Amino acid sequence: MNLRNSGSDQKPEPALPGPPRARWDRSARWDHVLTRLASTKRLSVSEIAEGLGISESTVRRDFVEMERAQLARRTHGGIVAVDVAYSLATVPRTTDECSARRERVADRAAGLVEPGQIIGFNGGRTTTSTARRAVARPDIDSRDGSPGLTVVCAALNIATEAVLRPSVRTVVLGGVAEPYSFELTGPLATATMRDLWLDTMFVGTVGLDISAGLTCNSDAEAGVTRIMIGHSRRVVGLATADKVGHRALAGICPVSVLTDLIIAGPVPEDLRAHLEETSVRLHEV
């Protein structure tokens, strides 16, 4: 049963935008399905299978897993939205090489998370993808009343990703929300973070330069991120090759502050040498 109106004058909906059919992994499928669901409120197996060019059995399995994760409710032939915010100010995702690189970085970063840890994120597309993957890991589960994972969020959209998971404890910093990054800044955010401690902090960046370090476009956002970094045992920088050599307005931290750097794309030799000199572990993906 198709959940869309079945009138004879109904025009077929266009295929979902996205990468070539062979590149639809589970994360990409879920991302597009949940984005579509946020606006349409209901989807059918057949329309998703047709739009993504995948089998209906694959779509059904995805819908079953989404229901288990409390991201949707299954109906006969499809799924409907539940009363939660799937994505805060969702922006359509591009499918170019930069996007593919971000997803590779996010996949490796999420693999560094250990069950039971306290992890933090600043705002950004790569950190958002990392958070989405981390909280969806099947081994993240509550045990003996303790959360399977604690996520400390400096960005509202990442909090939205995490709070959907019953086994994840979500801690949101106070403060003023920035309109483009959704990051929380100001005295409330910094005061809250001063009382919190992290096992691992994942740091997204606009620019990555040997001299300037990691940089972003807002000094207010940089200030909150610096406190999160200072309260973490492990600091993992997330970047793609297009960020290397670029300097944005505000400095977050020197490269040497990182314990790890995950980067997708070519790594310049001078950056590679600097990482070795400063004992920063390089993860190339």
Side-chain angles (χ1 to χ4, degrees):
M1 174 181 176
N2 194 317
L3 295 178
R4 291 175 293 178
N5 294 332
S6 56
S8 59
D9 59 344
Q10 180 84 12
K11 292 183 179 180
E13 294 189 20
L16 292 177
R21 294 182 177 189
R23 293 171 55 189
W24 283 107
D25 62 12
R26 192 182 77 157
S27 177
R29 295 195 308 268
W30 283 36
D31 190 30
H32 282 282
V33 168
L34 293 176
T35 298
R36 183 80 169 269
L37 191 63
S39 59
T40 65
K41 305 305 179 187
R42 57 177 59 224
L43 295 168
S44 69
V45 170
S46 60
E47 68 182 291
I48 294 301
E50 180 182 356
L52 298 183
I54 58 178
S55 69
E56 291 193 359
S57 61
T58 297
V59 177
R60 289 192 188 94
R61 284 195 299 271
D62 283 345
F63 285 3
V64 169
E65 292 175 7
M66 287 179 185
E67 184 176 57
R68 287 174 180 166
Q70 301 181 16
L71 297 174
R73 179 169 57 83
R74 282 192 301 154
T75 63
H76 180 67
I79 54 173
V80 296
V82 294
D83 291 332
V84 294
Y86 287 94
S87 177
L88 187 63
T90 299
V91 177
R93 293 181 176 272
T94 60
T95 57
D96 55 15
E97 178 58 25
C98 285
S99 177
R101 286 177 175 176
R102 282 195 299 270
E103 292 306 313
R104 294 204 302 272
V105 170
D107 186 59
R108 175 64 65 86
L112 298 180
V113 175
E114 297 179 9
Q117 281 191 323
I118 304 169
I119 61 175
F121 298 95
N122 66 341
R125 286 176 292 184
T126 309
T127 49
T128 301
S129 293
T130 301
R132 182 183 300 119
R133 290 171 181 263
V135 300
R137 278 180 37 175
D139 59 335
I140 301 299
D141 194 13
S142 299
R143 294 180 178 86
D144 302 323
S146 299
L149 193 66
T150 298
V151 175
V152 178
C153 308
L156 291 173
N157 60 324
I158 293 179
T160 302
E161 297 282 353
V163 76
L164 297 175
R165 309 286 178 169
S167 61
V168 176
R169 176 171 56 184
T170 305
V171 180
V172 184
L173 303 183
V176 178
E178 298 291 320
Y180 299 105
S181 66
F182 316 125
E183 287 199 57
L184 296 162
T185 62
L188 286 175
T190 55
T192 302
M193 191 59 227
R194 287 194 182 101
D195 292 329
L196 303 177
W197 298 93
L198 310 173
D199 293 309
T200 303
M201 173 65 185
F202 294 97
V203 185
T205 182
V206 173
L208 175 62
D209 182 84
I210 292 176
S211 299
L214 280 67
T215 55
C216 66
N217 292 321
S218 166
D219 58 340
E221 293 174 12
V224 175
T225 303
R226 281 195 296 271
I227 295 177
M228 298 180 79
I229 289 171
H231 283 222
S232 181
R233 290 191 178 96
R234 188 177 189 180
V235 182
V236 182
L238 310 177
T240 50
D242 58 296
K243 306 290 181 68
V244 177
H246 177 68
R247 296 183 180 185
L249 171 68
I252 297 173
C253 68
V255 175
S256 59
V257 168
L258 303 176
T259 58
D260 303 77
L261 175 63
I262 305 175
I263 188 166
V267 180
E269 287 305 316
D270 58 344
L271 175 58
R272 190 184 299 275
H274 182 68
L275 295 172
E276 186 173 349
E277 290 170 3
T278 53
S279 300
V280 178
R281 290 184 292 270
L282 174 63
H283 307 257
E284 298 181 71
V285 295

